[in-house]
Amino acid sequence: MRSAKYLANNSYSFPLISGEDIRKMKTVSLYADIQAVCEQRDAECQVSLSGRITIDSSPDLRAVLLSQLESSSCRILTADFRGVDYIDTSGLALLVEVLKAARTQGKAFHLSGLRERPRYLLEATRLLHLFESSL
């Protein structure tokens, strides 16, 4: 099974070499507060996030998630929040936007690995139940 992986931060990309097909690799730019590693396995795309999702980092993260979702081979998009310790309301708006886009395209958007603070914000705003999550 082949997968595309990359680590990007502040306009610089670093390939994660693990014997994967380099032609499958993509390059993205993200704000300095957030890092993303993307991997595609068959119909599932996973974006592992680390850092802080703020009003400054949300636009770049939005572009990455929507780009992954728009791929015809991606039927299920999972955002792994294990490395995310903070999310503000712009991040919540971003998640709702990606969820809406996924549903419009007949695809699924899941959240996984939510830590205490991001989970609390999703619960307090009553948004957590909207995401079919594997928490």
Side-chain angles (χ1 to χ4, degrees):
M1 171 169 50
R2 296 196 184 262
S3 62
K5 294 183 182 181
Y6 56 88
L7 173 66
N9 181 2
N10 202 20
S11 301
Y12 302 101
S13 296
F14 307 96
L16 302 176
I17 305 300
S18 62
E20 303 297 339
D21 186 355
I22 292 179
R23 293 171 297 172
K24 295 247 182 195
M25 296 175 75
K26 293 184 187 180
T27 302
V28 296
S29 298
L30 294 177
Y31 189 78
D33 283 351
I34 189 79
Q35 293 80 39
V37 176
C38 300
E39 181 178 5
Q40 181 161 353
R41 286 172 273 159
D42 300 322
E44 183 176 357
C45 301
Q46 180 169 323
V47 180
S48 299
L49 304 170
S50 61
R52 299 168 50 89
I53 302 173
T54 65
I55 194 164
D56 294 321
S57 61
S58 289
D60 289 341
L61 182 56
R62 175 188 177 275
V64 169
L65 292 175
L66 290 176
S67 173
Q68 290 292 309
L69 191 62
E70 289 170 1
S71 169
S72 61
S73 60
C74 180
R75 303 299 304 153
I76 301 167
L77 176 61
T78 302
D80 182 354
F81 273 72
R82 285 186 223 309
V84 175
D85 56 5
Y86 177 83
I87 183 171
D88 67 13
T89 55
S90 68
L92 293 181
L94 157 72
L95 294 176
V96 171
E97 181 181 359
V98 173
L99 177 64
K100 182 179 177 182
R103 289 182 176 176
T104 299
Q105 297 175 36
K107 298 180 179 185
F109 178 50
H110 301 280
L111 304 180
S112 69
L114 282 169
R115 293 171 64 181
E116 185 177 338
R117 293 186 71 135
R119 175 188 290 276
Y120 173 77
L121 186 57
L122 284 162
E123 287 173 345
T125 56
R126 298 187 177 171
L127 292 173
L128 186 60
H129 75 280
L130 295 177
F131 299 92
E132 299 170 2
S133 54
S134 51
L135 307 170

